[in-house]
Amino acid sequence: MHTIVCAVGFVFATCLASVANAQGQDGSFYLQVCGAAVKQSDGGQLTQEEGLGAIYCGSYIGGFLDAMSLSTTLSKDNKIVCTPERGITNDQAARIFVKYLRENPETLHQTGRTSLYVALAKAFPCSK
């Protein structure tokens, strides 16, 4: 039974990823899935669809933060985002992302990567 549930979850997550690609992974999509991640982090009950969205958000943000960390490690000059030395958690980044999207609805058409980068740059600006 557990295998069946895992298989169904995998298929659903794959479909969700396809929907995200079809939508161009814009801010509206990330407001939905990362909003679910924040809701879950706050102890809220999620539907199955929200739960998968929260997983998608966490995976996306984790990969984004890893890539950002690698790029800033390789190029110390001209940094735009300066997170604390110990870094930030996926949960913190999701909260920053959701807050930015809610406060800037005019940006919902932009790609998730653009909006997430701007949100992090506003939350963690580098001193020049």
Side-chain angles (χ1 to χ4, degrees), residues 83-89 92 124:
T83 57
E85 190 174 314
R86 299 180 109 183
I88 60 172
T89 66
Q92 290 168 315
F124 302 105

Side-chain angles (χ1 to χ4, degrees), residues 43-104:
Q45 293 293 326
L46 303 181
T47 65
Q48 185 175 5
E49 183 177 353
E50 288 175 323
L52 291 171
I55 292 169
Y56 185 92
C57 174
S59 299
Y60 179 78
I61 286 181
F64 188 95
L65 293 175
D66 286 345
M68 192 176 73
S69 175
L70 178 62
S71 69
T72 57
T73 299
L74 296 175
S75 173
K76 299 247 184 234
D77 298 332
N78 301 322
K79 287 177 25 175
I80 296 173
V81 179
C82 291
T83 57
E85 190 174 314
R86 299 180 109 183
I88 60 172
T89 66
N90 289 0
D91 181 58
Q92 290 168 315
R95 288 175 185 281
I96 290 166
F97 194 20
V98 168
K99 181 178 186 290
Y100 173 80
L101 292 171
R102 286 182 178 153
E103 292 177 353
N104 298 280

